[in-house]
Amino acid sequence: GGGGGGRYKVILDLVAKAEGGYDSVNYGKGPGKIPGLSKMTIREAYNASERYRAKYGGTGAMGAYQLVDNPLGRATKAGLNVDKDLFSPENQDKIALNLIKERGVTIDMIKNNPEEASVRLSAEWAGLPMLKVAGPYARRVGDSYYQGYNGNRSTISVGRLRQEIGR
């Protein structure tokens, strides 16, 4: 991660590995990166991702956590000023941490009910596999919550997920 995350760092690192790098955009479409994205303000990064989307298609998902659904609102909910704060690794981590908490995922849940934690995390980040079958698209353990929808799939293995979350 960008240096933040505390006890959630392992999850942040795992999500970033499944989704993209801090300067990535619309992972898997076009060049997949906007150099300097993480040095722009959050609004500038959003505008750059929208220009990228117009040129290459796709969703315009941005950053290590491939923020796509209202990234400016999500940044604001995480306590950031979209016109002043940078889309830095640290601030991307803050946004992701807020999303994890909004999904109700806690360290205790990850330790005691990793199956449910995996479903909630995969519902936010399609690159993560689920440890049980859930959601409208999954057919087997290891699928993404959105398996096949708009080309989504889990990009890391169940074994890797279990190893990283300690189970």
Side-chain angles (χ1 to χ4, degrees):
R7 295 173 49 193
Y8 288 90
K9 183 176 180 350
V10 93
I11 299 301
L12 292 176
D13 289 348
L14 191 64
V15 172
K17 177 161 181 44
E19 295 291 329
Y22 288 105
D23 289 330
S24 70
V25 176
N26 208 36
Y27 208 51
K29 298 270 189 195
K33 191 172 190 177
I34 296 176
L37 187 73
S38 62
K39 293 177 177 44
M40 299 176 189
T41 67
I42 297 165
R43 187 176 304 280
E44 289 168 341
Y46 172 74
N47 291 340
S49 75
E50 287 296 296
R51 287 189 300 274
Y52 186 98
R53 182 174 65 88
K55 183 174 182 178
Y56 296 107
T59 62
M62 55 192 266
Y65 308 105
Q66 291 295 276
L67 303 171
V68 68
D69 182 30
N70 190 16
L72 298 178
R74 288 175 169 214
T76 300
K77 280 179 129 181
L80 300 170
N81 181 321
V82 299
D83 293 310
K84 293 182 180 177
D85 290 320
L86 298 180
F87 194 56
S88 65
E90 294 79 13
N91 286 337
Q92 290 183 46
D93 288 356
K94 285 180 186 177
I95 297 166
L97 283 169
N98 193 61
L99 293 172
I100 290 168
K101 291 173 183 173
E102 283 183 352
R103 290 272 178 187
V105 177
T106 64
I107 296 298
D108 285 341
M109 177 187 281
I110 292 166
K111 288 179 183 175
N112 300 318
N113 192 352
E115 293 79 13
E116 181 61 25
S118 74
V119 169
R120 292 180 188 198
L121 291 169
S122 183
E124 187 66 49
W125 292 291
L128 294 177
M130 293 184 295
L131 300 178
K132 69 178 184 180
V133 178
Y137 303 100
R139 299 290 173 252
R140 64 180 202 270
V141 169
D143 279 355
S144 164
Y145 189 90
Y146 303 101
Q147 189 76 23
Y149 178 74
N150 283 340
N152 283 307
R153 64 181 174 77
S154 59
T155 58
I156 61 171
S157 70
V158 167
R160 176 73 186 264
L161 178 65
R162 287 187 188 280
Q163 177 186 352
E164 294 296 332
I165 64 172
R167 219 165 149 175

